Amino acid sequence: MFAKLREKIKGWKTIWANSIVGVPSLLYAAYLELSAVDFTPVIPTKYVAMFMVGWSLVGILLRVVTRGPVGSKEVRETE
């Protein structure tokens, strides 16, 4: 039982372990770089939350209206 699972995740453990360390480091570096930039002339502070919700809804809408599986160029059949 575990042998099949270990075979399936072979190589992925290393990627996940390095991602767990690397992604937060990357996000912190990006935060440090962007914290020096003042975005308030572009998006006033009181609208930032609404802006983020809007972008999230656009992403959800795009996922709903697309017909292919994620990461694939083939089109799934509509039911």
Side-chain angles (χ1 to χ4, degrees):
M1 179 174 147
F2 289 114
K4 286 183 180 181
L5 177 63
R6 289 187 63 163
E7 190 62 34
K8 283 185 177 183
I9 64 173
K10 189 174 187 172
W12 286 101
K13 295 176 289 192
T14 307
I15 291 172
W16 278 106
N18 285 300
S19 296
I20 288 171
V21 173
V23 169
S25 303
L26 175 66
L27 292 175
Y28 182 65
Y31 168 75
L32 291 177
E33 289 297 319
L34 292 174
S35 64
V37 179
D38 182 20
F39 287 104
T40 53
V42 179
I43 303 171
T45 306
K46 64 182 182 179
Y47 297 119
V48 170
M50 289 189 294
F51 179 78
M52 295 305 294
V53 168
W55 273 114
S56 296
L57 292 174
V58 167
I60 292 168
L61 178 67
L62 286 173
R63 181 64 248 165
V64 169
V65 299
T66 54
R67 294 183 11 187
V70 175
S72 174
K73 291 189 182 229
E74 49 184 80
V75 176
R76 71 173 175 233
E77 296 298 319
T78 56
E79 298 172 39

